[in-house]
Amino acid sequence: IQAHHLTPNSILYISIFVHLCEAYIGIEPHFNLFQHLFHLKPLPRDTEINVVSGAGLQLRQGVKLKYIP
């Protein structure tokens, strides 16, 4: 996946995560932590992936209380 495949909200989630890690936690952004919090959802549907398509990031179920309230 490349940056132009992501939705605008996905880019926002990535930038918020990077800011959270660097400014509040005091660590470099860690990909394993990002994978623990988010998953990639193909767009428009999981069952039919088009040649020209996209993807969006979503919080995983059950981690909403662990992330920024």
Side-chain angles (χ1 to χ4, degrees):
I1 190 152
Q2 296 177 355
H4 65 273
H5 293 119
L6 296 174
T7 62
N9 279 347
S10 296
I11 302 293
L12 181 65
Y13 289 150
I14 293 169
S15 64
I16 289 171
F17 176 78
V18 169
H19 185 72
L20 170 75
C21 288
E22 291 177 349
Y24 291 101
I25 302 175
I27 62 172
E28 289 189 28
H30 199 273
F31 187 67
N32 289 340
L33 177 59
F34 187 79
Q35 281 186 311
H36 175 74
L37 296 172
F38 293 96
H39 70 96
L40 195 64
K41 182 177 181 183
L43 297 173
R45 285 185 264 156
D46 291 350
T47 57
E48 181 183 318
I49 299 175
N50 299 324
V51 174
V52 178
S53 188
L57 291 170
Q58 288 185 335
L59 275 174
R60 292 186 184 272
Q61 289 184 356
V63 299
K64 189 173 183 178
L65 297 176
K66 296 178 184 179
Y67 198 55
I68 303 170

Short mmCIF file of all heavy atoms in Angstrom, two decimals:
data_model
loop_
_atom_site.label_atom_id
_atom_site.label_comp_id
_atom_site.label_asym_id
_atom_site.label_seq_id
_atom_site.Cartn_x
_atom_site.Cartn_y
_atom_site.Cartn_z
N ILE A 1 0.85 -1.18 0.00
CA ILE A 1 0.00 0.00 0.00
C ILE A 1 0.89 1.24 0.00
O ILE A 1 1.97 1.23 0.60
CB ILE A 1 -0.97 -0.02 1.19
CG1 ILE A 1 -1.98 1.06 1.03
CG2 ILE A 1 -0.24 0.10 2.50
CD1 ILE A 1 -3.28 0.77 1.68
N GLN A 2 0.44 2.27 -0.67
CA GLN A 2 1.18 3.53 -0.74
C GLN A 2 0.29 4.65 -0.21
O GLN A 2 -0.91 4.47 -0.03
CB GLN A 2 1.60 3.81 -2.18
CG GLN A 2 2.56 2.76 -2.71
CD GLN A 2 2.92 3.01 -4.16
OE1 GLN A 2 2.40 3.90 -4.81
NE2 GLN A 2 3.82 2.19 -4.67
N ALA A 3 0.90 5.79 0.04
CA ALA A 3 0.18 6.90 0.68
C ALA A 3 -1.05 7.34 -0.11
O ALA A 3 -2.07 7.70 0.48
CB ALA A 3 1.12 8.08 0.88
N HIS A 4 -0.99 7.27 -1.44
CA HIS A 4 -2.15 7.73 -2.22
C HIS A 4 -3.32 6.75 -2.17
O HIS A 4 -4.41 7.07 -2.61
CB HIS A 4 -1.74 8.03 -3.67
CG HIS A 4 -1.28 6.83 -4.44
ND1 HIS A 4 0.03 6.42 -4.40
CD2 HIS A 4 -1.94 5.97 -5.24
CE1 HIS A 4 0.15 5.35 -5.17
NE2 HIS A 4 -1.03 5.06 -5.69
N HIS A 5 -3.13 5.57 -1.61
CA HIS A 5 -4.22 4.62 -1.42
C HIS A 5 -5.03 4.90 -0.16
O HIS A 5 -6.13 4.41 0.00
CB HIS A 5 -3.68 3.18 -1.34
CG HIS A 5 -3.09 2.69 -2.60
ND1 HIS A 5 -1.79 2.30 -2.69
CD2 HIS A 5 -3.62 2.55 -3.84
CE1 HIS A 5 -1.53 1.92 -3.92
NE2 HIS A 5 -2.63 2.07 -4.65
N LEU A 6 -4.46 5.67 0.76
CA LEU A 6 -5.10 5.91 2.06
C LEU A 6 -6.12 7.04 1.99
O LEU A 6 -5.95 8.00 1.25
CB LEU A 6 -4.05 6.24 3.11
CG LEU A 6 -3.07 5.13 3.43
CD1 LEU A 6 -1.99 5.64 4.38
CD2 LEU A 6 -3.78 3.92 4.03
N THR A 7 -7.15 6.91 2.81
CA THR A 7 -8.15 7.97 2.92
C THR A 7 -7.56 9.14 3.72
O THR A 7 -6.59 8.96 4.46
CB THR A 7 -9.41 7.45 3.64
OG1 THR A 7 -9.05 7.04 4.97
CG2 THR A 7 -10.04 6.29 2.90
N PRO A 8 -8.15 10.34 3.60
CA PRO A 8 -7.64 11.47 4.38
C PRO A 8 -7.67 11.22 5.90
O PRO A 8 -6.74 11.62 6.60
CB PRO A 8 -8.59 12.61 4.00
CG PRO A 8 -9.05 12.26 2.62
CD PRO A 8 -9.16 10.76 2.63
N ASN A 9 -8.68 10.54 6.38
CA ASN A 9 -8.73 10.25 7.82
C ASN A 9 -7.61 9.30 8.23
O ASN A 9 -7.10 9.40 9.34
CB ASN A 9 -10.08 9.63 8.20
CG ASN A 9 -11.15 10.68 8.38
OD1 ASN A 9 -10.86 11.86 8.45
ND2 ASN A 9 -12.40 10.24 8.41
N SER A 10 -7.21 8.41 7.36
CA SER A 10 -6.10 7.50 7.67
C SER A 10 -4.79 8.25 7.83
O SER A 10 -4.01 7.97 8.73
CB SER A 10 -5.96 6.44 6.57
OG SER A 10 -7.12 5.64 6.52
N ILE A 11 -4.56 9.24 6.96
CA ILE A 11 -3.38 10.08 7.08
C ILE A 11 -3.42 10.83 8.42
O ILE A 11 -2.41 10.96 9.11
CB ILE A 11 -3.27 11.07 5.91
CG1 ILE A 11 -3.23 10.33 4.57
CG2 ILE A 11 -2.08 12.00 6.07
CD1 ILE A 11 -2.01 9.49 4.33
N LEU A 12 -4.60 11.30 8.80
CA LEU A 12 -4.77 11.99 10.07
C LEU A 12 -4.47 11.05 11.25
O LEU A 12 -3.78 11.44 12.19
CB LEU A 12 -6.19 12.54 10.19
CG LEU A 12 -6.53 13.30 11.46
CD1 LEU A 12 -5.70 14.57 11.56
CD2 LEU A 12 -8.01 13.63 11.48
N TYR A 13 -4.95 9.80 11.20
CA TYR A 13 -4.68 8.83 12.26
C TYR A 13 -3.18 8.59 12.41
O TYR A 13 -2.65 8.50 13.52
CB TYR A 13 -5.36 7.49 11.98
CG TYR A 13 -6.85 7.48 12.12
CD1 TYR A 13 -7.63 6.64 11.36
CD2 TYR A 13 -7.50 8.33 13.01
CE1 TYR A 13 -9.01 6.61 11.47
CE2 TYR A 13 -8.88 8.33 13.13
CZ TYR A 13 -9.62 7.46 12.36
OH TYR A 13 -10.98 7.45 12.48
N ILE A 14 -2.47 8.50 11.29
CA ILE A 14 -1.02 8.27 11.33
C ILE A 14 -0.32 9.45 11.98
O ILE A 14 0.54 9.28 12.85
CB ILE A 14 -0.47 8.00 9.92
CG1 ILE A 14 -1.00 6.67 9.39
CG2 ILE A 14 1.06 8.01 9.92
CD1 ILE A 14 -0.74 6.43 7.92
N SER A 15 -0.70 10.67 11.59
CA SER A 15 -0.04 11.84 12.16
C SER A 15 -0.36 12.02 13.65
O SER A 15 0.52 12.40 14.43
CB SER A 15 -0.42 13.11 11.38
OG SER A 15 -1.79 13.37 11.48
N ILE A 16 -1.57 11.70 14.06
CA ILE A 16 -1.93 11.77 15.48
C ILE A 16 -1.14 10.73 16.27
O ILE A 16 -0.65 11.00 17.37
CB ILE A 16 -3.44 11.58 15.68
CG1 ILE A 16 -4.18 12.82 15.17
CG2 ILE A 16 -3.78 11.33 17.15
CD1 ILE A 16 -5.69 12.65 15.13
N PHE A 17 -1.00 9.52 15.71
CA PHE A 17 -0.24 8.48 16.38
C PHE A 17 1.22 8.89 16.55
O PHE A 17 1.80 8.70 17.62
CB PHE A 17 -0.34 7.16 15.60
CG PHE A 17 0.50 6.07 16.17
CD1 PHE A 17 0.08 5.38 17.29
CD2 PHE A 17 1.72 5.74 15.59
CE1 PHE A 17 0.87 4.37 17.83
CE2 PHE A 17 2.50 4.74 16.12
CZ PHE A 17 2.08 4.05 17.24
N VAL A 18 1.83 9.45 15.51
CA VAL A 18 3.22 9.90 15.58
C VAL A 18 3.36 10.99 16.65
O VAL A 18 4.28 10.96 17.47
CB VAL A 18 3.71 10.40 14.20
CG1 VAL A 18 5.04 11.10 14.32
CG2 VAL A 18 3.80 9.24 13.23
N HIS A 19 2.43 11.93 16.67
CA HIS A 19 2.47 13.01 17.67
C HIS A 19 2.29 12.44 19.09
O HIS A 19 2.98 12.87 20.02
CB HIS A 19 1.40 14.05 17.37
CG HIS A 19 1.45 15.23 18.27
ND1 HIS A 19 2.44 16.17 18.20
CD2 HIS A 19 0.63 15.61 19.28
CE1 HIS A 19 2.24 17.09 19.13
NE2 HIS A 19 1.15 16.77 19.80
N LEU A 20 1.39 11.48 19.24
CA LEU A 20 1.18 10.84 20.55
C LEU A 20 2.47 10.20 21.05
O LEU A 20 2.85 10.40 22.20
CB LEU A 20 0.08 9.79 20.44
CG LEU A 20 -0.09 8.86 21.65
CD1 LEU A 20 -0.77 9.61 22.79
CD2 LEU A 20 -0.88 7.63 21.28
N CYS A 21 3.12 9.46 20.18
CA CYS A 21 4.36 8.78 20.57
C CYS A 21 5.46 9.77 20.93
O CYS A 21 6.10 9.64 21.97
CB CYS A 21 4.84 7.86 19.45
SG CYS A 21 3.83 6.40 19.23
N GLU A 22 5.67 10.76 20.07
CA GLU A 22 6.80 11.68 20.26
C GLU A 22 6.55 12.70 21.37
O GLU A 22 7.43 12.95 22.19
CB GLU A 22 7.11 12.40 18.95
CG GLU A 22 7.67 11.49 17.90
CD GLU A 22 7.91 12.18 16.57
OE1 GLU A 22 7.45 13.33 16.39
OE2 GLU A 22 8.56 11.57 15.70
N ALA A 23 5.36 13.28 21.44
CA ALA A 23 5.10 14.37 22.38
C ALA A 23 4.63 13.90 23.75
O ALA A 23 5.01 14.47 24.76
CB ALA A 23 4.08 15.33 21.78
N TYR A 24 3.80 12.87 23.79
CA TYR A 24 3.21 12.47 25.07
C TYR A 24 3.91 11.28 25.72
O TYR A 24 4.14 11.27 26.91
CB TYR A 24 1.71 12.18 24.91
CG TYR A 24 0.92 13.43 24.63
CD1 TYR A 24 0.51 13.73 23.34
CD2 TYR A 24 0.60 14.32 25.64
CE1 TYR A 24 -0.21 14.89 23.08
CE2 TYR A 24 -0.10 15.48 25.40
CZ TYR A 24 -0.51 15.75 24.10
OH TYR A 24 -1.21 16.89 23.84
N ILE A 25 4.22 10.26 24.92
CA ILE A 25 4.85 9.08 25.48
C ILE A 25 6.37 9.25 25.55
O ILE A 25 7.02 8.69 26.41
CB ILE A 25 4.47 7.82 24.67
CG1 ILE A 25 2.96 7.64 24.65
CG2 ILE A 25 5.14 6.58 25.25
CD1 ILE A 25 2.48 6.50 23.78
N GLY A 26 6.92 10.03 24.62
CA GLY A 26 8.36 10.29 24.61
C GLY A 26 9.18 9.19 23.95
O GLY A 26 10.33 8.97 24.31
N ILE A 27 8.56 8.48 23.00
CA ILE A 27 9.27 7.43 22.27
C ILE A 27 9.16 7.71 20.77
O ILE A 27 8.32 8.50 20.34
CB ILE A 27 8.70 6.03 22.56
CG1 ILE A 27 7.23 5.93 22.12
CG2 ILE A 27 8.85 5.68 24.04
CD1 ILE A 27 6.64 4.53 22.19
N GLU A 28 10.01 7.04 19.99
CA GLU A 28 9.84 7.10 18.55
C GLU A 28 8.63 6.25 18.18
O GLU A 28 8.35 5.24 18.84
CB GLU A 28 11.08 6.57 17.84
CG GLU A 28 12.27 7.49 17.95
CD GLU A 28 13.41 7.04 17.07
OE1 GLU A 28 13.16 6.40 16.04
OE2 GLU A 28 14.56 7.33 17.44
N PRO A 29 7.88 6.64 17.14
CA PRO A 29 6.73 5.83 16.73
C PRO A 29 7.15 4.39 16.45
O PRO A 29 8.16 4.14 15.80
CB PRO A 29 6.25 6.52 15.45
CG PRO A 29 6.75 7.91 15.57
CD PRO A 29 8.04 7.82 16.32
N HIS A 30 6.40 3.46 16.98
CA HIS A 30 6.73 2.05 16.88
C HIS A 30 5.66 1.35 16.06
O HIS A 30 4.47 1.39 16.40
CB HIS A 30 6.81 1.45 18.28
CG HIS A 30 7.56 0.17 18.34
ND1 HIS A 30 6.95 -1.03 18.12
CD2 HIS A 30 8.87 -0.08 18.57
CE1 HIS A 30 7.84 -1.99 18.23
NE2 HIS A 30 9.02 -1.44 18.50
N PHE A 31 6.09 0.67 14.97
CA PHE A 31 5.13 0.05 14.06
C PHE A 31 4.31 -1.05 14.74
O PHE A 31 3.13 -1.20 14.46
CB PHE A 31 5.85 -0.51 12.83
CG PHE A 31 4.92 -1.02 11.78
CD1 PHE A 31 4.08 -0.15 11.08
CD2 PHE A 31 4.87 -2.37 11.48
CE1 PHE A 31 3.21 -0.62 10.11
CE2 PHE A 31 4.00 -2.85 10.51
CZ PHE A 31 3.18 -1.97 9.82
N ASN A 32 4.91 -1.82 15.63
CA ASN A 32 4.16 -2.89 16.32
C ASN A 32 3.05 -2.31 17.19
O ASN A 32 1.97 -2.89 17.29
CB ASN A 32 5.09 -3.76 17.14
CG ASN A 32 5.98 -4.64 16.28
OD1 ASN A 32 5.67 -4.88 15.12
ND2 ASN A 32 7.08 -5.08 16.84
N LEU A 33 3.31 -1.18 17.84
CA LEU A 33 2.26 -0.52 18.62
C LEU A 33 1.16 -0.01 17.70
O LEU A 33 -0.03 -0.15 18.02
CB LEU A 33 2.86 0.65 19.42
CG LEU A 33 1.87 1.47 20.24
CD1 LEU A 33 1.13 0.61 21.26
CD2 LEU A 33 2.59 2.63 20.92
N PHE A 34 1.55 0.54 16.56
CA PHE A 34 0.56 1.01 15.59
C PHE A 34 -0.32 -0.15 15.11
O PHE A 34 -1.54 -0.03 15.04
CB PHE A 34 1.27 1.67 14.40
CG PHE A 34 0.32 2.32 13.44
CD1 PHE A 34 -0.22 3.56 13.72
CD2 PHE A 34 -0.03 1.69 12.26
CE1 PHE A 34 -1.10 4.17 12.83
CE2 PHE A 34 -0.90 2.28 11.37
CZ PHE A 34 -1.44 3.53 11.66
N GLN A 35 0.29 -1.30 14.82
CA GLN A 35 -0.46 -2.48 14.39
C GLN A 35 -1.37 -3.01 15.50
O GLN A 35 -2.42 -3.56 15.21
CB GLN A 35 0.49 -3.60 13.97
CG GLN A 35 1.06 -3.44 12.60
CD GLN A 35 1.87 -4.65 12.20
OE1 GLN A 35 2.71 -5.13 12.95
NE2 GLN A 35 1.60 -5.16 11.02
N HIS A 36 -0.96 -2.84 16.73
CA HIS A 36 -1.80 -3.28 17.86
C HIS A 36 -3.06 -2.43 17.95
O HIS A 36 -4.13 -2.93 18.31
CB HIS A 36 -1.01 -3.19 19.16
CG HIS A 36 -1.81 -3.51 20.38
ND1 HIS A 36 -2.18 -4.80 20.69
CD2 HIS A 36 -2.33 -2.73 21.33
CE1 HIS A 36 -2.89 -4.78 21.81
NE2 HIS A 36 -3.00 -3.53 22.22
N LEU A 37 -2.96 -1.14 17.62
CA LEU A 37 -4.08 -0.23 17.75
C LEU A 37 -4.96 -0.17 16.51
O LEU A 37 -6.18 0.01 16.62
CB LEU A 37 -3.57 1.17 18.08
CG LEU A 37 -2.85 1.32 19.41
CD1 LEU A 37 -2.22 2.70 19.51
CD2 LEU A 37 -3.79 1.07 20.57
N PHE A 38 -4.38 -0.30 15.32
CA PHE A 38 -5.11 -0.09 14.07
C PHE A 38 -5.04 -1.30 13.16
O PHE A 38 -4.13 -2.11 13.26
CB PHE A 38 -4.52 1.11 13.30
CG PHE A 38 -4.71 2.42 13.97
CD1 PHE A 38 -3.71 2.95 14.77
CD2 PHE A 38 -5.88 3.14 13.82
CE1 PHE A 38 -3.87 4.16 15.40
CE2 PHE A 38 -6.05 4.36 14.45
CZ PHE A 38 -5.05 4.87 15.24
N HIS A 39 -6.02 -1.40 12.26
CA HIS A 39 -5.97 -2.38 11.19
C HIS A 39 -6.37 -1.70 9.89
O HIS A 39 -7.06 -0.68 9.89
CB HIS A 39 -6.83 -3.61 11.48
CG HIS A 39 -8.30 -3.36 11.45
ND1 HIS A 39 -9.07 -3.60 10.35
CD2 HIS A 39 -9.15 -2.88 12.39
CE1 HIS A 39 -10.33 -3.28 10.61
NE2 HIS A 39 -10.39 -2.83 11.85
N LEU A 40 -5.92 -2.25 8.78
CA LEU A 40 -6.16 -1.69 7.47
C LEU A 40 -7.38 -2.34 6.86
O LEU A 40 -7.49 -3.56 6.82
CB LEU A 40 -4.94 -1.93 6.58
CG LEU A 40 -4.84 -1.14 5.30
CD1 LEU A 40 -4.72 0.35 5.60
CD2 LEU A 40 -3.64 -1.60 4.50
N LYS A 41 -8.32 -1.53 6.40
CA LYS A 41 -9.56 -2.03 5.83
C LYS A 41 -9.60 -1.63 4.35
O LYS A 41 -9.61 -0.44 4.04
CB LYS A 41 -10.75 -1.46 6.57
CG LYS A 41 -12.07 -1.97 6.06
CD LYS A 41 -13.22 -1.41 6.87
CE LYS A 41 -14.52 -1.97 6.33
NZ LYS A 41 -15.66 -1.41 7.03
N PRO A 42 -9.63 -2.62 3.44
CA PRO A 42 -9.72 -2.28 2.02
C PRO A 42 -11.03 -1.58 1.68
O PRO A 42 -12.07 -1.88 2.26
CB PRO A 42 -9.66 -3.64 1.32
CG PRO A 42 -9.25 -4.62 2.34
CD PRO A 42 -9.58 -4.05 3.67
N LEU A 43 -10.96 -0.65 0.75
CA LEU A 43 -12.16 0.07 0.31
C LEU A 43 -12.33 -0.14 -1.18
O LEU A 43 -11.34 -0.21 -1.90
CB LEU A 43 -12.02 1.57 0.61
CG LEU A 43 -11.91 1.94 2.08
CD1 LEU A 43 -11.62 3.42 2.22
CD2 LEU A 43 -13.18 1.59 2.82
N PRO A 44 -13.49 -0.26 -1.72
CA PRO A 44 -14.78 -0.07 -1.10
C PRO A 44 -15.27 -1.23 -0.26
O PRO A 44 -16.01 -1.05 0.68
CB PRO A 44 -15.72 0.19 -2.26
CG PRO A 44 -15.09 -0.48 -3.42
CD PRO A 44 -13.62 -0.45 -3.16
N ARG A 45 -14.89 -2.50 -0.57
CA ARG A 45 -15.36 -3.65 0.22
C ARG A 45 -14.24 -4.66 0.39
O ARG A 45 -13.33 -4.73 -0.42
CB ARG A 45 -16.54 -4.34 -0.46
CG ARG A 45 -17.82 -3.56 -0.33
CD ARG A 45 -18.94 -4.36 -0.93
NE ARG A 45 -19.09 -3.88 -2.31
CZ ARG A 45 -19.60 -4.56 -3.30
NH1 ARG A 45 -20.02 -5.77 -3.10
NH2 ARG A 45 -19.70 -4.05 -4.49
N ASP A 46 -14.37 -5.49 1.43
CA ASP A 46 -13.39 -6.57 1.65
C ASP A 46 -13.50 -7.66 0.58
O ASP A 46 -12.52 -8.27 0.20
CB ASP A 46 -13.60 -7.23 3.01
CG ASP A 46 -13.23 -6.31 4.16
OD1 ASP A 46 -12.65 -5.25 3.89
OD2 ASP A 46 -13.55 -6.66 5.30
N THR A 47 -14.71 -7.91 0.09
CA THR A 47 -14.93 -9.02 -0.82
C THR A 47 -14.52 -8.72 -2.25
O THR A 47 -14.19 -9.62 -3.00
CB THR A 47 -16.41 -9.44 -0.81
OG1 THR A 47 -17.21 -8.32 -1.16
CG2 THR A 47 -16.80 -9.95 0.56
N GLU A 48 -14.54 -7.45 -2.64
CA GLU A 48 -14.24 -7.08 -4.02
C GLU A 48 -13.22 -5.95 -4.03
O GLU A 48 -13.55 -4.79 -3.81
CB GLU A 48 -15.52 -6.63 -4.72
CG GLU A 48 -15.32 -6.24 -6.16
CD GLU A 48 -16.62 -5.73 -6.76
OE1 GLU A 48 -17.68 -6.31 -6.50
OE2 GLU A 48 -16.55 -4.72 -7.46
N ILE A 49 -11.97 -6.29 -4.29
CA ILE A 49 -10.92 -5.28 -4.34
C ILE A 49 -10.68 -4.91 -5.79
O ILE A 49 -10.34 -5.77 -6.61
CB ILE A 49 -9.63 -5.78 -3.68
CG1 ILE A 49 -9.89 -6.09 -2.21
CG2 ILE A 49 -8.51 -4.76 -3.83
CD1 ILE A 49 -8.73 -6.70 -1.49
N ASN A 50 -10.91 -3.66 -6.14
CA ASN A 50 -10.74 -3.18 -7.51
C ASN A 50 -9.28 -2.87 -7.79
O ASN A 50 -8.47 -2.73 -6.88
CB ASN A 50 -11.58 -1.92 -7.72
CG ASN A 50 -13.05 -2.19 -7.52
OD1 ASN A 50 -13.54 -3.25 -7.86
ND2 ASN A 50 -13.74 -1.24 -6.95
N VAL A 51 -8.96 -2.73 -9.06
CA VAL A 51 -7.60 -2.35 -9.43
C VAL A 51 -7.29 -0.97 -8.90
O VAL A 51 -6.25 -0.71 -8.34
CB VAL A 51 -7.42 -2.42 -10.96
CG1 VAL A 51 -6.05 -1.89 -11.36
CG2 VAL A 51 -7.60 -3.84 -11.45
N VAL A 52 -8.23 -0.03 -9.08
CA VAL A 52 -8.08 1.31 -8.54
C VAL A 52 -8.95 1.37 -7.29
O VAL A 52 -10.16 1.43 -7.37
CB VAL A 52 -8.52 2.39 -9.55
CG1 VAL A 52 -8.41 3.76 -8.94
CG2 VAL A 52 -7.71 2.29 -10.82
N SER A 53 -8.32 1.30 -6.15
CA SER A 53 -9.06 1.22 -4.91
C SER A 53 -8.30 1.99 -3.84
O SER A 53 -7.37 2.72 -4.13
CB SER A 53 -9.24 -0.24 -4.51
OG SER A 53 -10.10 -0.34 -3.41
N GLY A 54 -8.71 1.80 -2.63
CA GLY A 54 -8.06 2.48 -1.52
C GLY A 54 -8.13 1.63 -0.28
O GLY A 54 -8.53 0.47 -0.31
N ALA A 55 -7.74 2.25 0.83
CA ALA A 55 -7.77 1.56 2.10
C ALA A 55 -7.92 2.59 3.20
O ALA A 55 -7.52 3.74 3.04
CB ALA A 55 -6.51 0.74 2.30
N GLY A 56 -8.51 2.17 4.27
CA GLY A 56 -8.67 3.05 5.42
C GLY A 56 -8.18 2.38 6.68
O GLY A 56 -8.22 1.16 6.80
N LEU A 57 -7.72 3.18 7.61
CA LEU A 57 -7.29 2.67 8.90
C LEU A 57 -8.44 2.79 9.88
O LEU A 57 -9.16 3.78 9.89
CB LEU A 57 -6.09 3.46 9.42
CG LEU A 57 -4.79 3.26 8.67
CD1 LEU A 57 -3.76 4.27 9.12
CD2 LEU A 57 -4.27 1.85 8.86
N GLN A 58 -8.60 1.77 10.70
CA GLN A 58 -9.61 1.79 11.74
C GLN A 58 -9.00 1.28 13.03
O GLN A 58 -8.11 0.43 13.02
CB GLN A 58 -10.79 0.88 11.38
CG GLN A 58 -11.65 1.40 10.29
CD GLN A 58 -12.86 0.49 10.08
OE1 GLN A 58 -12.84 -0.69 10.40
NE2 GLN A 58 -13.92 1.06 9.54
N LEU A 59 -9.51 1.81 14.16
CA LEU A 59 -9.10 1.26 15.44
C LEU A 59 -9.60 -0.17 15.55
O LEU A 59 -10.71 -0.48 15.14
CB LEU A 59 -9.69 2.08 16.59
CG LEU A 59 -8.94 3.32 17.02
CD1 LEU A 59 -9.73 4.08 18.06
CD2 LEU A 59 -7.58 2.97 17.56
N ARG A 60 -8.78 -1.04 16.10
CA ARG A 60 -9.22 -2.41 16.32
C ARG A 60 -10.29 -2.44 17.40
O ARG A 60 -10.33 -1.57 18.27
CB ARG A 60 -8.04 -3.28 16.75
CG ARG A 60 -7.02 -3.48 15.68
CD ARG A 60 -5.96 -4.48 16.14
NE ARG A 60 -4.93 -4.60 15.15
CZ ARG A 60 -4.97 -5.46 14.12
NH1 ARG A 60 -6.01 -6.25 13.99
NH2 ARG A 60 -3.99 -5.51 13.26
N GLN A 61 -11.14 -3.44 17.35
CA GLN A 61 -12.16 -3.59 18.37
C GLN A 61 -11.51 -3.88 19.71
O GLN A 61 -10.57 -4.65 19.80
CB GLN A 61 -13.12 -4.72 18.01
CG GLN A 61 -14.01 -4.38 16.85
CD GLN A 61 -15.01 -5.49 16.58
OE1 GLN A 61 -15.00 -6.54 17.20
NE2 GLN A 61 -15.90 -5.25 15.64
N GLY A 62 -11.99 -3.22 20.74
CA GLY A 62 -11.50 -3.46 22.08
C GLY A 62 -10.33 -2.59 22.51
O GLY A 62 -9.92 -2.65 23.65
N VAL A 63 -9.76 -1.78 21.59
CA VAL A 63 -8.63 -0.93 21.98
C VAL A 63 -9.02 0.53 22.10
O VAL A 63 -8.18 1.37 22.40
CB VAL A 63 -7.43 -1.07 21.01
CG1 VAL A 63 -6.90 -2.48 20.99
CG2 VAL A 63 -7.78 -0.58 19.64
N LYS A 64 -10.28 0.84 21.91
CA LYS A 64 -10.73 2.23 21.97
C LYS A 64 -10.44 2.86 23.34
O LYS A 64 -10.04 4.01 23.43
CB LYS A 64 -12.22 2.31 21.67
CG LYS A 64 -12.73 3.72 21.50
CD LYS A 64 -14.17 3.74 21.04
CE LYS A 64 -14.63 5.15 20.81
NZ LYS A 64 -15.99 5.20 20.31
N LEU A 65 -10.57 2.09 24.40
CA LEU A 65 -10.30 2.62 25.74
C LEU A 65 -8.82 2.75 26.02
O LEU A 65 -8.42 3.49 26.92
CB LEU A 65 -10.97 1.73 26.80
CG LEU A 65 -12.49 1.64 26.72
CD1 LEU A 65 -13.02 0.64 27.74
CD2 LEU A 65 -13.12 3.02 26.91
N LYS A 66 -7.97 2.04 25.28
CA LYS A 66 -6.51 2.13 25.45
C LYS A 66 -5.92 3.32 24.71
O LYS A 66 -4.83 3.77 25.03
CB LYS A 66 -5.84 0.86 24.94
CG LYS A 66 -6.20 -0.37 25.70
CD LYS A 66 -5.51 -1.58 25.10
CE LYS A 66 -5.92 -2.86 25.76
NZ LYS A 66 -5.28 -4.02 25.15
N TYR A 67 -6.64 3.80 23.69
CA TYR A 67 -6.14 4.90 22.87
C TYR A 67 -6.64 6.21 23.45
O TYR A 67 -7.23 6.27 24.52
CB TYR A 67 -6.59 4.70 21.42
CG TYR A 67 -5.82 5.49 20.40
CD1 TYR A 67 -4.43 5.39 20.31
CD2 TYR A 67 -6.46 6.33 19.51
CE1 TYR A 67 -3.71 6.10 19.37
CE2 TYR A 67 -5.76 7.04 18.55
CZ TYR A 67 -4.39 6.92 18.50
OH TYR A 67 -3.68 7.64 17.57
N ILE A 68 -6.41 7.31 22.74
CA ILE A 68 -6.80 8.65 23.23
C ILE A 68 -8.31 8.71 23.42
O ILE A 68 -9.06 8.48 22.48
CB ILE A 68 -6.35 9.72 22.21
CG1 ILE A 68 -4.85 9.64 21.96
CG2 ILE A 68 -6.74 11.11 22.70
CD1 ILE A 68 -4.39 10.49 20.80
N PRO A 69 -8.78 9.00 24.63
CA PRO A 69 -10.23 9.08 24.87
C PRO A 69 -10.85 10.30 24.19
O PRO A 69 -10.20 11.26 23.95
CB PRO A 69 -10.36 9.17 26.38
CG PRO A 69 -9.02 9.52 26.91
CD PRO A 69 -8.01 9.22 25.85
#
